[in-house]
Amino acid sequence: MSFIHLIGFGLKVGQLVLMLCYSFLTVISLNSFINDAQMKPNKSGKIWMKFVEMFSGKSSKIHHYYQYIVSSKFRKTWWRKLLILWIASGTILSLCIFWYLRSQALEKRKETLANMCDERARMLQDQFNVSMNHVQAMSILISTFHHAKNPSAIDQETFAKYTERTAFERPLTSGVAYAVRVLHSEREQFEKQQGWTIKKMTSVNKDKYNPEELEPSPIQPEYAPVIFAQDTVAHVISLDMLTGKEDRENVLRARELGKGVLTAPLALIKSNRLGVILTFAVYKRDLPSNATPEERIEATDGYLGGVFDIESLVEKLLQQLASKQTIYVNVFDTTNISNPISMYGIDALDTGLEHVSPLNFGDPSRKHEMRCRFKQKQPWQILAISTFSGILVITLLVGYIFYATGNRIAQVEDDYQEMSELKKRAEAADVAKSEFLATVSHEIRTPMNGVLGMLDMLMDTVLDVTQQDYVRTAQASGKALVSLINAVLDQAKIESGKLELEAVRFDLREILDDVLSLFSGKSQEKGIELAVYISAKVPETLIGDPGRFRQIITNLMGNSIKFTERGHIFVTVHLLEEVMESIDVETEPSSKDTLSGLPVADRNRSWEGFRPAASTSDSITLIISVEDTGVGIPLDAQPKIFTPFMQVGPSIYRLHGGTGIGLSISKCLVNLMNGEIGFDSVPQIGSTFTFTAVFSNPNEQQINGQLKPKSISEFCNMQAVLVDPRHVRAEVSRYHIERLGMHVEVVSSLPNMLLMLTSRSQTVHVVLIEEEVWDQDLNNPAVFLYKLRNLDLDTPPKLFLLTNSISGSRQNNISSPTVITKPLRVSMLAASLQRAMGDKKIKGRNGEIPKLSLSKLLVGRKILVVDDNNVNLRVAAGALKKYGAEVVCADNGRKAISLLTPPHAFDACFMDIQMPEMDGFEATRTIRKVEQDVNNRIQHGSVLLQDYANNSNWHVPILAMTADVIQATHEQCLKSGMDGYVSKPFEANQLYQEVSRFFL
């Protein structure tokens, strides 16, 4: 049985379980619903019966089988036996599979151990062979350069240096030594020549070893004293190899066989560690391969031995392997199989498996092997246990299904109740976060509504300049706190995936004009250029979420305003395909091509990697860039710039404030708009943030066609001249002036402007001059004005000076034109032109065109405000009374029901949600129920229409005043019968805008 077969068996068992479950539920459904249908043969019962018949047709055989097995007779005789047989069969099968998987795992473990052990044995054997070949080569070297040369070309110093430098070619040897063959008759002369006495080999302690204290070698027919040795084994010089038992046997076998031979494991001199010695005989001349042992003995000149410290050498070898720590390795000399000698390793606990790998070290008379064991016992077989448990569980589950089928409806109902309870708990856990956010939002927004409302009412009183400054500061701080709350709640919505976008019509240019108005004061205080340019190919109206789009732009421009002290902030909007087509022909911008003349970050790098344009007739993709000349973003902070609550550093927070979540929220909003966002920033130069967003195109206009902007009729076809030497800035000013319907000509200097006025046949109505040009080109403005008046013009043009800062604005006098303070917006520009050209009706704050008076729609309207918070009542009442409304207050839902029970004279109602006794939801539902009841009674004629103010359709607009801004609260407002909502803290115009739409 393979694992594939096991999976197939599991699928079949699962299919059987599903079929039995379906049959069980079908029978229950048939019994319960057929009984209901017989008692009440209505339409729904017939539909259910048809539905069950359609899906139960394919399992009719199982259904009949079920009816058979649950019969009383079968249940009494075979039920228990069948259940026991099923469980026993499943248990046996699961045990068989468990045994199979366990044996497979054991075989794999054995194979893994064998591979690891064979690998180590092969590495040890290969490196031993390399060392052995090099020792044999050295024997030939000594024969050639020591015995065949007279005088010898080798001495101890030469031998030591050579062996030290070639040690890397013998990775397993700890030293090499050469012993010369000396006959007894030659001993005396040899000792005189060498200057030392031939010593007897004796095993001594490492710390007490002293060659001078060794005994002379006893008299014997021949000797094998060591004359050359590697520095690591230099202590063996003068020792007679024939005086050691193992060494003597090794030397004699080596010269008889003519091959390398190994000793049995022995204690090495001085170190007293376990090792072996590989010995090669050195002959006087080349011998034939069939030379007799006597010939070999006769031709022997000496013996070259390689010393192997087994423990340290095997340990070094195993350290080269990454998996060294997973197994135990033991090396044995098994020449005497009844008493093997341990050469390396420790006596470890038996872990169940052992693998033996033979080792061949080139000496056929000696046998070696490597034994390997895992350090840890075999782990639990998770696959086998889980498979066994799974099959056993399936078996018990199927048996339980048979058993549950006999108990039928009662058990199913209990399970259903239990699952319903679990579902409620899960839903309650999911709602817990939303309830927490709603509570926190309500508890903070309610007092903030009172604070901001009272401050707004305070501004309507008589205050001196200092008091007005204090109030404005308090209002700004309160609004900053509300903005922080909104940002945190937005982040929570994003994390929970509950943030949704609207799809409404909006004017993109109006949105950006509003944002410019929001930051105009700050930019004028700093004296920086703030401008917006929208391509003419971008449609006038789009379908999307204007609030969230405004939020993205506000976040990006807010950051730019905070970190920019000079230069400009420039917002551009184009179609994505329009920008992509121009990339190939663009060159790198210079400082002269920027809005303020200062260098900027490369905006092309800010959209690298964006997807190509995918605009259709129904949708378009916009690309929006926000460019500034601020301090830029440090390189180390750029990778985490979109991380929530990320600040570049503590000093940034202390200097500029903020929470660090604006960019994170903007990135998420851009993703919801199917767009992308990126940036490029150069420290001390500035930053450019670019994002794309997909919107619907309601008018299905040709994207590549020129779209004519809206224009104000009184400025249509008027001629204007703009004096500005900087191309980008001139194009921005031209864009805003042409929105009024004017024709614009651009010149670079005042002399050119005078020349144009004299050469043109058409009348120029307006001349707009950049303050930079006015200050640089004119040493005496009065002279220029005199020249302008002396031109032969029917109607002299009106002069306007464009400036960035409030401090730079000069008072209008005889030598100075009318000042227009940037940023330019169409409403502000129109108001300034109208005022300067003699229209006295234009009045409004900041020079903008005022809207229709708000009080007209609410004059005489009777409005009910319901809130348990007295401060909120005063704020709402005061705001509505400003617009001429008659306001009545109530502090709980029961009073609201009493006041709004028809007939009544109220035109609208603002209802708080969270109130004692009765909340706003319940009060609204009750009011709607009463209104519906009255309307039904009027329609049926049970009451007189005159008794209800001749109104046959009572429905008073009820607007929620809620401090909860989560989507669930808004949906609950609409479900309870409310017509809209206003989020706390609110301003006067918010109340007006919501309620006035019912009176248009």
Side-chain angles (χ1 to χ4, degrees):
M1 178 187 292
S2 66
F3 191 66
I4 300 297
H5 295 156
L6 180 64
I7 294 176
F9 173 76
L11 292 176
K12 291 180 180 179
V13 172
Q15 183 181 8
L16 175 61
V17 172
L18 290 176
M19 292 175 67
L20 289 173
C21 291
Y22 176 75
S23 176
F24 170 59
L25 295 175
T26 301
V27 172
I28 294 175
S29 301
L30 282 171
N31 288 337
S32 60
F33 284 97
I34 289 175
N35 290 337
D36 292 342
Q38 289 175 350
M39 295 174 63
K40 296 180 180 180
N42 53 17
K43 184 177 180 180
S44 60
K46 294 179 180 179
I47 294 175
W48 173 255
M49 291 178 65
K50 291 181 180 180
F51 177 80
V52 172
E53 287 176 0
M54 179 178 66
F55 283 94
S56 62
K58 296 181 181 180
S59 58
S60 58
K61 293 182 180 180
I62 297 178
H63 175 57
H64 294 316
Y65 178 71
Y66 164 79
Q67 289 180 333
Y68 171 69
I69 64 174
V70 298
S71 64
S72 176
K73 182 178 179 180
F74 182 84
R75 206 165 49 240
K76 290 180 180 179
T77 55
W78 291 99
W79 174 253
R80 292 185 178 179
K81 292 182 180 180
L82 179 62
L83 188 59
I84 293 173
L85 178 62
W86 167 259
I87 294 176
S89 301
T91 303
I92 294 173
L93 176 63
S94 61
L95 288 172
C96 293
I97 294 176
F98 173 77
W99 175 85
Y100 170 77
L101 292 177
R102 185 177 180 278
S103 61
Q104 289 289 97
L106 185 60
E107 288 298 322
K108 185 176 181 180
R109 184 174 172 84
K110 288 181 179 178
E111 183 180 354
T112 301
L113 180 62
N115 291 337
M116 296 173 69
C117 195
D118 291 343
E119 179 186 13
R120 286 154 176 75
R122 184 172 61 254
M123 290 181 64
L124 180 61
Q125 184 171 300
D126 290 346
Q127 294 198 24
F128 187 89
N129 290 337
V130 170
S131 301
M132 181 177 69
N133 292 337
H134 194 266
V135 171
Q136 185 177 11
M138 287 186 64
S139 68
I140 298 173
L141 180 72
I142 291 174
S143 175
T144 303
F145 292 97
H146 179 64
H147 293 289
K149 296 278 187 180
N150 192 11
S152 172
I154 301 175
D155 56 13
Q156 167 58 26
E157 182 179 359
T158 304
F159 186 86
K161 288 182 179 180
Y162 175 78
T163 54
E164 185 66 29
R165 292 180 179 180
T166 58
F168 69 93
E169 297 183 0
R170 305 180 304 279
L172 296 185
T173 60
S174 56
V176 181
Y178 176 66
V180 67
R181 183 183 182 192
V182 178
L183 300 177
H184 181 66
S185 59
E186 302 170 345
R187 175 174 179 174
E188 183 177 356
Q189 182 181 357
F190 174 82
E191 290 178 341
K192 289 180 180 181
Q193 182 179 356
Q194 296 294 328
W196 40 258
T197 304
I198 300 175
K199 303 293 192 308
K200 177 182 178 180
M201 291 186 67
T202 305
S203 178
V204 297
N205 187 277
K206 171 182 176 182
D207 299 327
K208 298 179 180 180
Y209 179 78
N210 186 0
E212 301 298 331
E213 297 178 358
L214 297 178
E215 299 178 3
S217 177
I219 297 175
Q220 50 189 4
E222 61 179 277
Y223 308 91
V226 177
I227 60 173
F228 303 142
Q230 189 175 345
D231 288 342
T232 56
V233 291
H235 56 273
V236 300
I237 294 177
S238 78
L239 298 183
D240 183 6
M241 295 295 105
L242 293 179
T243 58
K245 179 181 178 182
E246 293 291 342
D247 296 282
R248 180 182 182 83
E249 293 178 1
N250 209 39
V251 166
L252 296 179
R253 282 198 307 119
R255 71 183 185 181
E256 290 179 4
L257 297 175
K259 300 178 181 180
V261 295
L262 285 172
T263 65
L266 51 85
L268 298 177
I269 296 176
K270 189 177 182 180
S271 67
N272 210 27
R273 293 169 63 90
L274 195 65
V276 295
I277 298 176
L278 173 66
T279 305
F280 282 94
V282 178
Y283 299 104
K284 297 177 182 178
R285 61 183 180 277
D286 293 336
L287 294 175
S289 59
N290 58 353
T292 63
E294 291 76 12
E295 293 175 341
R296 294 181 184 279
I297 293 172
E298 181 67 24
T300 300
D301 263 341
Y303 315 96
L304 184 66
V307 182
F308 294 82
D309 187 340
I310 298 299
E311 293 183 12
S312 61
L313 297 179
V314 176
E315 184 67 27
K316 290 179 182 178
L317 174 65
L318 295 181
Q319 286 177 353
Q320 301 175 14
L321 300 173
S323 56
K324 167 185 177 290
Q325 302 298 330
T326 59
I327 62 173
Y328 290 116
V329 174
N330 292 73
V331 179
F332 288 90
D333 184 326
T334 56
T335 304
N336 183 0
I337 194 170
S338 62
N339 186 25
I341 303 173
S342 176
M343 302 173 66
Y344 172 80
I346 60 174
D347 294 332
L349 296 175
D350 185 10
T351 55
L353 290 179
E354 184 180 63
H355 180 78
V356 177
S357 296
L359 296 172
N360 182 7
F361 291 150
D363 187 351
S365 64
R366 306 211 68 84
K367 296 180 181 180
H368 302 84
E369 62 185 30
M370 179 180 288
R371 300 176 185 177
C372 303
R373 286 172 293 170
F374 283 110
K375 287 187 175 182
Q376 297 179 349
K377 292 186 177 181
Q378 185 175 5
W380 290 92
Q381 300 299 318
I382 303 300
L383 177 61
I385 294 173
S386 60
T387 306
F388 164 77
S389 303
I391 295 177
L392 186 60
V393 168
I394 290 174
T395 301
L396 296 175
L397 180 61
V398 173
Y400 173 75
I401 290 175
F402 279 115
Y403 175 75
T405 303
N407 292 298
R408 300 180 64 190
I409 300 175
Q411 185 64 39
V412 172
E413 288 181 348
D414 292 341
D415 293 341
Y416 176 77
Q417 293 296 331
E418 183 179 355
M419 287 188 292
S420 298
E421 184 65 25
L422 292 175
K423 181 181 178 182
K424 290 178 182 178
R425 292 179 183 176
E427 291 174 347
D430 184 57
V431 172
K433 184 176 181 180
S434 298
E435 290 181 348
F436 171 76
L437 290 175
T439 302
V440 171
S441 172
H442 183 274
E443 294 303 321
I444 297 178
R445 286 172 174 271
T446 297
M448 283 306 302
N449 180 60
V451 171
L452 294 178
M454 288 299 177
L455 289 173
D456 192 50
M457 294 171 66
L458 182 59
M459 282 296 292
D460 293 334
T461 62
V462 178
L463 302 174
D464 59 29
V465 176
T466 303
Q467 292 169 335
Q468 289 181 7
D469 181 62
Y470 291 164
V471 174
R472 289 194 185 97
T473 303
Q475 284 180 318
S477 300
K479 291 178 179 179
L481 177 58
V482 173
S483 298
L484 173 60
I485 295 170
N486 290 337
V488 173
L489 291 175
D490 281 344
Q491 184 67 30
K493 289 180 186 178
I494 290 169
E495 291 176 355
S496 62
K498 294 181 179 180
L499 187 65
E500 299 177 356
L501 299 182
E502 293 182 331
V504 297
R505 284 177 182 262
F506 69 97
D507 189 324
L508 178 67
R509 289 163 176 80
E510 287 186 3
I511 292 289
L512 289 175
D513 279 352
D514 291 343
V515 177
L516 282 179
S517 299
L518 179 64
F519 293 108
S520 60
K522 201 70 173 177
S523 67
Q524 291 166 2
E525 289 176 8
K526 291 187 172 186
I528 59 178
E529 186 98 17
L530 179 61
V532 167
Y533 176 81
I534 302 178
S535 169
K537 295 184 179 181
V538 177
E540 286 291 325
T541 58
L542 301 170
I543 293 180
D545 192 328
R548 295 302 180 183
F549 179 77
R550 183 200 305 268
Q551 185 176 357
I552 298 172
I553 295 292
T554 302
N555 285 341
L556 297 180
M557 290 185 66
N559 286 340
S560 295
I561 285 286
K562 281 195 293 187
F563 299 110
T564 302
E565 298 298 331
R566 65 188 185 97
H568 68 266
I569 298 169
F570 189 24
V571 182
T572 60
V573 183
H574 295 83
L575 298 181
L576 180 58
E577 57 264 36
E578 178 186 358
V579 172
M580 292 301 181
E581 290 171 0
S582 65
I583 288 178
D584 297 334
V585 299
E586 280 189 2
T587 58
E588 186 172 344
S590 65
S591 61
K592 295 182 180 180
D593 296 329
T594 64
L595 189 65
S596 62
L598 296 179
V600 296
D602 185 4
R603 76 170 55 191
N604 288 345
R605 294 182 59 187
S606 67
W607 63 63
E608 283 183 353
F610 278 16
R611 296 186 297 268
S615 297
T616 65
S617 60
D618 297 328
S619 67
I620 61 172
T621 303
L622 300 183
I623 181 167
I624 302 95
S625 294
V626 180
E627 172 188 283
D628 67 60
T629 56
V631 297
I633 304 171
L635 297 179
D636 59 341
Q638 292 185 12
K640 51 186 179 180
I641 197 67
F642 291 109
T643 304
F645 303 101
M646 181 271 175
Q647 290 278 13
V648 172
S651 60
I652 298 298
Y653 174 77
R654 290 193 296 267
L655 185 61
H656 299 284
T659 59
I661 60 177
L663 288 178
S664 170
I665 293 174
S666 298
K667 181 178 177 65
C668 294
L669 293 177
V670 168
N671 292 337
L672 288 175
M673 294 180 181
N674 298 320
E676 300 171 277
I677 187 169
F679 73 95
D680 182 53
S681 183
V682 181
Q684 305 308 320
I685 296 295
S687 305
T688 299
F689 280 81
T690 300
F691 70 94
T692 59
V694 179
F695 297 99
S696 298
N697 188 2
N699 297 326
E700 297 186 358
Q701 298 158 318
Q702 292 294 330
I703 294 177
N704 295 326
Q706 285 292 106
L707 298 176
K708 295 182 179 180
K710 297 177 182 178
S711 60
I712 298 177
S713 59
E714 60 187 291
F715 298 108
C716 285
N717 300 321
M718 293 180 65
Q719 303 294 321
V721 176
L722 175 64
V723 185
D724 192 346
R726 190 168 295 132
H727 173 70
V728 174
R729 186 173 59 191
E731 286 302 313
V732 172
S733 299
R734 181 204 293 267
Y735 155 73
H736 288 287
I737 299 169
E738 287 182 344
R739 290 177 64 190
L740 298 175
M742 291 184 175
H743 299 287
V744 183
E745 293 287 343
V746 179
V747 295
S748 60
S749 64
L750 290 175
N752 291 343
M753 184 269 290
L754 293 174
L755 183 61
M756 173 181 285
L757 292 178
T758 57
S759 62
R760 286 180 63 93
S761 59
Q762 295 179 340
T763 301
V764 175
H765 302 87
V766 177
V767 174
L768 299 101
I769 307 170
E770 274 292 332
E771 183 181 26
E772 172 188 342
V773 178
W774 181 263
D775 293 339
Q776 289 180 356
D777 286 7
L778 294 176
N779 295 323
N780 189 353
V783 175
F784 168 76
L785 295 174
Y786 174 76
K787 291 181 179 180
L788 181 63
R789 285 195 296 269
N790 288 337
L791 293 177
D792 187 14
L793 301 175
D794 296 336
T795 305
K798 291 288 184 180
L799 294 184
F800 294 90
L801 188 65
L802 302 180
T803 182
N804 292 325
S805 65
I806 299 174
S807 59
S809 301
R810 56 203 77 193
Q811 298 294 328
N812 293 340
N813 53 52
I814 191 171
S815 64
S816 189
T818 302
V819 174
I820 298 178
T821 307
K822 298 180 183 180
L824 298 180
R825 289 96 70 200
V826 66
S827 58
M828 179 273 294
L829 189 58
S832 298
L833 294 177
Q834 287 171 334
R835 184 169 54 249
M837 297 175 75
D839 190 342
K840 303 300 182 182
K841 298 178 181 179
I842 304 303
K843 294 181 181 179
R845 187 174 61 178
N846 297 328
E848 300 187 12
I849 300 176
K851 298 180 179 179
L852 181 65
S853 176
L854 300 180
S855 62
K856 292 182 179 180
L857 291 175
L858 298 186
V859 171
R861 300 288 184 178
K862 190 173 183 179
I863 299 176
L864 176 64
V865 179
V866 186
D867 199 316
D868 62 311
N869 189 300
N870 186 49
V871 176
N872 288 339
L873 283 176
R874 295 174 61 188
V875 170
L880 293 171
K881 287 179 181 178
K882 285 173 58 176
Y883 301 123
E886 179 185 350
V887 181
V888 177
C889 298
D891 60 2
N892 62 66
R894 298 191 185 279
K895 291 182 180 180
I897 295 173
S898 175
L899 292 171
L900 293 179
T901 300
H904 59 77
F906 290 100
D907 297 290
C909 172
F910 284 96
M911 179 84 70
D912 185 29
I913 290 179
Q914 297 185 13
M915 295 184 292
E917 297 187 26
M918 180 182 290
D919 61 26
F921 297 133
E922 185 178 352
T924 301
R925 283 192 292 266
T926 304
I927 292 170
R928 296 301 183 215
K929 186 176 180 181
V930 171
E931 290 176 341
Q932 184 178 6
D933 182 59
V934 170
N935 292 337
N936 290 337
R937 287 159 59 191
I938 292 175
Q939 290 176 4
H940 291 88
S942 55
V943 295
L944 295 177
L945 184 61
Q946 294 80 359
D947 294 340
Y948 289 89
N950 293 320
N951 186 356
S952 61
N953 185 21
W954 284 92
H955 183 92
V956 62
I958 300 178
L959 302 169
M961 292 192 302
T962 172
D964 302 334
V965 294
I966 60 176
Q967 186 67 24
T969 303
H970 296 166
E971 294 173 355
Q972 192 174 359
C973 290
L974 299 178
K975 287 180 180 179
S976 64
M978 295 181 176
D979 300 284
Y981 51 85
V982 177
S983 297
K984 298 177 184 177
F986 50 74
E987 296 181 359
N989 64 331
Q990 288 181 273
L991 297 179
Y992 163 77
Q993 289 173 359
E994 281 298 321
V995 74
S996 61
R997 60 191 175 94
F998 298 100
F999 306 139
L1000 294 175

